[in-house]
Amino acid sequence: MSRPPSASQSAADLGVIGGSGFYSFLDSVEEVQIDTPYGPPSDRIAIGMLAGRRVAFVPRHGRDHRHPPHKIPYRANLWALRSLGVRQVLAPSAVGSLTTRYGPGTLAIPDQLVDRTSGRAQTYYDEGAAIHLSFADPYCPAGREIAVSAAREAGWSPVDGGTLVVIEGPRFSTRAESRWYAAQGWTLVGMTGHPEAVLARELALCYTPLCLVTDLDAGIEQGEGVTMDEVFRVFGENIERLRTLVADVITSLPADRTCPCSRSLDGMKPPIELP
């Protein structure tokens, strides 16, 4: 049953933003409806226990997949997680590969991001004061290191590093666009990694991507190109393994943060009160 959160019942240590297949990795789940200054999040937030830690899960597209990538309420999702006490976020997602080296089923933990979206609200600080945050390294270094290590221990051969280019969607790339991205040296293409990462940084949250390659992008693959059925099929075939990895990473993340993410707002005066 959905109900407003209380500090005792709904505080969470860690957050996961992902697909509906991640519900079942939590125990003793309760669902809460949270309102934010940016509207409601994608859906009710599930909060449960995992290895003695409270984890909040946001279904990125909504549990019925009703939000296309360019319409996801990104600001509400991250704000809601922070309001629950979350300070570290894991973000599993399906991506395309821009190189034949990384075929379907490959796990990648990129260290760079390129924004090719348009029209998405991508800041909390668009009035009241100019807040300029460092985003040279968009992902949490501690989270990435732990994710790579946990993946190797679980039997993956993860790609450590690389650049994720985020496109507007909801359509897939043309062959020309795909080849252009690859020519820049970018290795992965997705539709949801931005503005999630930058909004997390603006809230001083750690954000770690876990990218599962579901297809070779249009400029790399021969034939008809990428299809939604193909993406869903490969993601479904790997969801249990990816879910286990998320649990392993959560178990390994430190309770106390020493990474730069926690200090991203030091010396600044945000024009809004953060939760």
Side-chain angles (χ1 to χ4, degrees), residues 177-191:
E177 289 168 335
S178 179
R179 290 167 184 152
W180 178 62
Y181 302 152
Q184 311 313 304
W186 307 336
T187 50
L188 305 168
V189 57
M191 298 181 188

Side-chain angles (χ1 to χ4, degrees), residues 96-104 106 108 159-162 187-188 213 215-216:
S97 173
L98 294 168
T99 170
T100 56
R101 299 194 309 276
Y102 310 149
T106 299
V159 177
D160 182 1
T187 50
L188 305 168
V213 173
D215 57 90
L216 295 177

Side-chain angles (χ1 to χ4, degrees), residues 37-75:
Y38 309 96
S42 294
D43 214 318
R44 294 187 302 277
I45 295 179
I47 302 175
M49 297 299 297
L50 180 65
R53 308 184 75 173
R54 288 183 68 81
V55 179
F57 169 72
V58 180
R60 183 184 281 119
H61 295 277
R63 65 190 64 206
D64 55 359
H65 214 82
R66 65 184 177 275
H67 300 296
H70 64 299
K71 294 292 187 179
I72 292 171
Y74 294 102
R75 291 194 294 183

Side-chain angles (χ1 to χ4, degrees), residues 18 58 76 78 97 103 109 115 121 125 173 183 187 191 194-195 200 228 251 253:
V58 180
L78 273 301
S97 173
I109 318 291
D115 172 25
Y125 310 130
S173 302
T187 50
M191 298 181 188
H194 181 85
M228 190 169 68
T251 302
L253 285 171

Side-chain angles (χ1 to χ4, degrees), residues 123-134 202 264-272:
T123 182
Y124 294 106
Y125 310 130
D126 49 8
E127 58 183 30
I131 301 294
H132 304 287
L133 281 82
S134 174
E202 288 195 340
S264 63
L265 293 172
D266 285 3
M268 301 186 186
K269 296 181 179 179
I272 56 176

